Amino acid sequence: MEEKKELEKELEKEEAMEEEVLTEAAEETEETPEETAAESSPEEQESPEEAEQATGPGEKKGFFKKREKKDKRDEQIAELTDKVKRQLAEFENFRNRTEKEKSHMYAVGARDVIEKILPVVDNFERGIKSVPEEEKEGPVASGMEMIYKQLMTVLTDLGVTPIEAVGQEFDPNLHNAVMHVENEELGENIVAEEFQKGYQYKDAVLRYSMVSVAN
């Protein structure tokens, strides 16, 4: 009996020792949450930006990035569109300016040629007036009359018109007064006689009418 009691006491001592050893081992291996977080590697820890990208706000941020890229493309398109419009406007201005210059050059060239033809017209008129009445039906006079009419038709088609003078009120913009005469039958400041016919090319005066003015 005594031996049995001693064996039981020794078993109880061994069990108590084992419990103490287990308790100490558990205390040594136990870790706090702060220590566990501190011991974790930086690679395993997620940054706030990465965590945010994995959640809803991250997805929203990525959406704004796409919007920013799209807005940049829209700005480039608007810039190119404005550039094209400016170039088209410049080309339109250049074309209008070129057309205006061409019209001006044509008008200047035509005016120069017509001014040189007018003395020929004057000579035809003098020649026709100098033909005697009995020879006006002759072939020479008839030929001169036909050429004169053809020449005047060409000038009219080009926009050349004679300036009306005799019986009209004197106009310094159309007439060149070289003489004043007294004529009771005519009113004051009326053209009495035309010494040289004047002509207009469209709205411009090619040559002023050389006239005498009554009263």
Side-chain angles (χ1 to χ4, degrees), residues 81-119:
T81 302
D82 182 68
K83 186 175 181 180
V84 170
K85 288 181 179 180
R86 289 177 182 273
Q87 289 179 347
L88 289 175
E90 290 177 0
F91 176 76
E92 186 68 20
N93 293 334
F94 171 76
R95 185 173 65 179
N96 294 336
R97 186 169 59 252
T98 303
E99 291 294 332
K100 187 176 181 180
E101 290 176 356
K102 285 171 64 178
S103 300
H104 179 70
M105 291 175 64
Y106 175 81
V108 171
R111 181 188 179 102
D112 185 60
V113 173
I114 293 168
E115 287 177 348
K116 293 179 179 180
I117 292 176
L118 291 181

Side-chain angles (χ1 to χ4, degrees), residues 36-102:
T36 304
E39 290 177 0
S40 61
S41 62
E43 296 178 356
E44 294 177 353
Q45 294 180 357
E46 291 183 351
S47 64
E49 291 79 6
E50 292 176 349
E52 187 178 359
Q53 289 180 0
T55 59
E59 294 176 357
K60 188 174 181 182
K61 186 175 182 181
F63 174 75
F64 282 125
K65 286 183 178 179
K66 292 180 180 178
R67 286 295 300 273
E68 289 175 0
K69 291 181 180 179
K70 186 176 181 181
D71 292 342
K72 188 174 182 181
R73 288 196 298 268
D74 292 341
E75 290 178 0
Q76 290 177 349
I77 292 172
E79 184 178 354
L80 292 174
T81 302
D82 182 68
K83 186 175 181 180
V84 170
K85 288 181 179 180
R86 289 177 182 273
Q87 289 179 347
L88 289 175
E90 290 177 0
F91 176 76
E92 186 68 20
N93 293 334
F94 171 76
R95 185 173 65 179
N96 294 336
R97 186 169 59 252
T98 303
E99 291 294 332
K100 187 176 181 180
E101 290 176 356
K102 285 171 64 178

Side-chain angles (χ1 to χ4, degrees), residues 5-215:
K5 289 181 179 179
E6 290 177 359
L7 290 172
E8 289 177 354
K9 289 180 180 180
E10 290 178 359
L11 289 172
E12 288 176 358
K13 288 180 180 180
E14 290 179 359
E15 288 177 357
M17 292 176 64
E18 290 179 358
E19 288 180 0
E20 288 178 359
V21 171
L22 292 173
T23 302
E24 291 176 357
E27 289 177 355
E28 290 177 357
T29 57
E30 189 177 2
E31 294 179 346
T32 62
E34 292 79 4
E35 292 174 344
T36 304
E39 290 177 0
S40 61
S41 62
E43 296 178 356
E44 294 177 353
Q45 294 180 357
E46 291 183 351
S47 64
E49 291 79 6
E50 292 176 349
E52 187 178 359
Q53 289 180 0
T55 59
E59 294 176 357
K60 188 174 181 182
K61 186 175 182 181
F63 174 75
F64 282 125
K65 286 183 178 179
K66 292 180 180 178
R67 286 295 300 273
E68 289 175 0
K69 291 181 180 179
K70 186 176 181 181
D71 292 342
K72 188 174 182 181
R73 288 196 298 268
D74 292 341
E75 290 178 0
Q76 290 177 349
I77 292 172
E79 184 178 354
L80 292 174
T81 302
D82 182 68
K83 186 175 181 180
V84 170
K85 288 181 179 180
R86 289 177 182 273
Q87 289 179 347
L88 289 175
E90 290 177 0
F91 176 76
E92 186 68 20
N93 293 334
F94 171 76
R95 185 173 65 179
N96 294 336
R97 186 169 59 252
T98 303
E99 291 294 332
K100 187 176 181 180
E101 290 176 356
K102 285 171 64 178
S103 300
H104 179 70
M105 291 175 64
Y106 175 81
V108 171
R111 181 188 179 102
D112 185 60
V113 173
I114 293 168
E115 287 177 348
K116 293 179 179 180
I117 292 176
L118 291 181
V120 179
V121 175
D122 295 337
N123 290 331
F124 265 102
E125 290 177 348
R126 294 189 189 96
I128 292 171
K129 288 181 180 179
S130 65
V131 176
E133 286 293 332
E134 61 275 9
E135 296 182 3
K136 285 185 178 181
E137 299 299 330
V140 177
S142 298
M144 290 178 64
E145 187 71 26
M146 290 176 61
I147 294 171
Y148 173 74
K149 289 181 179 179
Q150 185 178 9
L151 184 58
M152 293 304 298
T153 300
V154 171
L155 292 176
T156 301
D157 292 340
L158 292 174
V160 180
T161 54
I163 297 174
E164 296 184 5
V166 177
Q168 303 293 320
E169 184 177 1
F170 175 75
D171 185 355
N173 296 319
L174 301 174
H175 307 134
N176 181 21
V178 295
M179 185 183 297
H180 285 81
V181 295
E182 296 294 334
N183 191 332
E184 296 179 357
E185 296 180 359
L186 298 175
E188 187 177 357
N189 208 33
I190 300 298
V191 176
E193 185 178 0
E194 183 182 54
F195 302 110
Q196 188 180 54
K197 187 178 293 184
Y199 292 92
Q200 282 182 301
Y201 174 59
K202 296 181 179 179
D203 295 331
V205 176
L206 284 173
R207 188 175 70 185
Y208 294 92
S209 297
M210 191 178 298
V211 298
S212 63
V213 182
N215 307 319

